[in-house]
Amino acid sequence: MKLPAAEPEEGPVIVTTADLFRVAYGRFAVGAYNINNMEQTLGLFRGHVEAEAPFIIQISKGARKYAGIPMLEGMIRAAETMFPEAIFAVHLDHGDEQTCYECIDSGFYSSVMIDASHAPFDENVAITRRVVERAHAKGLSVEAEMGMLGGVEEDIKVDEKHALLTDPEEARLFVEQSGCDSLAVAIGTSHGAYKFSGNQGLHFDRIAAIQQQLPGCPLVMHGSSSVPQEEVARINAAGGKLDPSAKGVNEDEFARAVPLGVTKVNIDTDGRLVWTRVQREYLRDHPADFDFRKPGALLITEYAAFIVNKSRKLLSAGTLADLRGALA
Ligand code: G3H
Ligand code: 13P
Ligand code: ZN
């Protein structure tokens, strides 16, 4: 636990990511959502309290730059006070080595992700090992990435053609040698709105093979947005120009991935689509309006509804009471 609980009598609020994974593994997946602003933060907490689901707040390097580090921390601490029932962890998303150290030393984070997946295997192991040593010394856990996700990760572009699925045997060696606590695996997903064409989807056989090599190791699925077609259609009807072939992960497949060890599911793009739809429709329908609180309030409500739906699909809805008992 990195932060004092705001309401100790309510049970733990900010918990370690390791604690969440221990309870979740094989039973449900913890949704991990990126935040950048206040409306998103309020919707995130409101939705999870309503769904009675734990969650992970992810902070990217881009978010740290956009909102500012003190602002992000301030928003999370404020939300913690406003929603004392919430149980969540705070995680650095796609960190480089230096940012991992900053987050580890800040005392604010529950866990960090070191993303050295662009480096050759031995270098990835060495970098991850260094981060693990610093993190474990302070009680944080570490997510690492092996294999390459197609698409764009922060400022790293990976040619779609070189998108490789994680090799199960290599994954076991990587975890053994690096000491990481969870592993982001390439199992067919990629970041952004354009993940799949045709009938492509998750590679369940590969997830199962990885689990066989790494029983009990929480697997992390990046690029897990579902890019609902209805959302894309509404955005385009309100003036957007998204490619209508945009396609993501079928969210009914989360339940199949959970028993195979997928314990953390990263979602960002879908939240951005909620923002885009709300803003576009509101401005289209209220051309004379200029009070940003009206679309802002709508965004909080819509974001919370989006979170409730995701929590059900991830099987994390309704688990808070059990979790509180397990963590007590
Ligand atoms: O995988 C990256 C996340 O979607 C965060 O995106 O770097 O634009 O904040 P960002
Ligand atoms: P999406 O682009 O599918 O939302 O993935 C987000 C992610 O993996 C953040 O690390
Ligand atoms: Zn990611």
Side-chain angles (χ1 to χ4, degrees):
M1 177 150 353
K2 300 312 297 171
L3 287 181
E7 301 276 343
E9 67 277 11
E10 288 282 346
V13 179
I14 298 187
V15 295
T16 66
T17 304
D19 275 342
L20 283 184
F21 286 170
R22 183 169 49 80
V23 177
Y25 187 91
R27 292 179 56 210
F28 62 89
V30 185
Y33 302 88
N34 296 74
I35 61 156
N36 290 274
N37 67 16
M38 182 194 75
E39 289 80 4
Q40 221 178 3
T41 307
L42 288 173
L44 185 71
F45 276 77
R46 192 190 285 181
H48 280 109
V49 167
E50 193 183 325
E52 297 182 38
F55 58 105
I56 294 174
I57 301 178
Q58 303 215 115
I59 299 180
S60 70
K61 284 187 287 171
R64 285 161 65 88
K65 197 168 162 203
Y66 169 70
I69 297 164
M71 182 59 75
L72 287 168
E73 295 191 4
M75 284 193 301
I76 293 169
R77 286 193 185 274
E80 183 190 9
T81 312
M82 293 166 73
F83 298 91
E85 313 93 314
I87 297 184
F88 62 98
V90 181
H91 178 78
L92 169 68
D93 191 29
H94 292 288
D96 54 30
E97 193 172 357
Q98 188 52 41
T99 312
C100 282
Y101 295 151
E102 284 169 26
C103 292
I104 292 166
D105 293 341
S106 76
F108 185 70
Y109 287 72
S110 320
S111 51
V112 293
M113 176 191 187
I114 173 67
D115 182 353
S117 58
H118 52 283
F121 183 91
D122 287 344
E123 203 182 325
N124 190 355
V125 167
I127 296 169
T128 303
R129 181 82 237 156
R130 288 198 292 271
V131 172
V132 165
E133 275 162 20
R134 287 270 291 262
H136 284 184
K138 297 217 171 175
L140 280 78
S141 51
V142 176
E143 173 185 331
E145 180 172 325
M146 233 219 75
M148 289 207 187
L149 295 157
V152 180
E153 299 177 6
E154 299 248 322
D155 38 15
I156 309 160
K157 284 189 173 47
V158 181
D159 189 325
E160 202 80 42
K161 286 188 215 131
H162 296 150
L164 295 170
L165 300 185
T166 299
D167 179 84
E169 176 72 23
E170 273 190 12
R172 182 178 57 76
L173 291 173
F174 182 85
V175 172
E176 277 172 14
Q177 292 174 20
S178 71
C180 68
D181 305 282
S182 60
L183 189 65
V185 285
I187 47 180
T189 62
S190 61
H191 293 101
Y194 307 102
K195 301 181 194 299
F196 298 126
S197 54
N199 286 326
Q200 276 181 281
L202 298 183
H203 292 256
F204 286 102
D205 49 348
R206 185 59 63 104
I207 310 175
I210 297 170
Q211 186 190 39
Q212 217 171 19
Q213 291 291 325
L214 286 169
C217 175
L219 305 178
V220 180
M221 190 158 88
H222 282 249
S224 308
S225 283
S226 62
V227 194
Q229 290 198 325
E230 189 203 322
E231 199 77 303
V232 172
R234 282 177 72 174
I235 289 168
N236 287 346
K241 282 198 164 41
L242 297 179
D243 181 341
S245 72
K247 204 171 160 199
V249 178
N250 177 346
E251 51 189 16
D252 290 327
E253 291 191 334
F254 295 152
R256 274 180 71 195
V258 165
L260 299 176
V262 172
T263 314
K264 175 170 175 276
V265 167
N266 286 13
I267 297 168
D268 186 21
T269 297
D270 281 352
R272 295 179 185 205
L273 294 177
V274 174
W275 179 89
T276 308
R277 185 243 307 161
V278 167
Q279 303 300 326
R280 283 200 176 278
E281 289 188 347
Y282 189 86
L283 295 175
R284 176 195 64 190
D285 297 341
H286 305 84
D289 221 346
F290 51 91
D291 180 354
F292 57 76
R293 289 172 299 196
K294 289 180 182 167
L298 204 55
L299 176 58
I300 296 166
T301 303
E302 291 294 300
Y303 200 90
F306 148 75
I307 292 292
V308 170
N309 171 61
K310 286 289 183 206
S311 304
R312 290 186 182 133
K313 300 290 185 183
L314 294 167
L315 312 181
S316 62
T319 63
L320 270 196
D322 269 11
L323 187 63
R324 203 167 269 119
L327 297 178

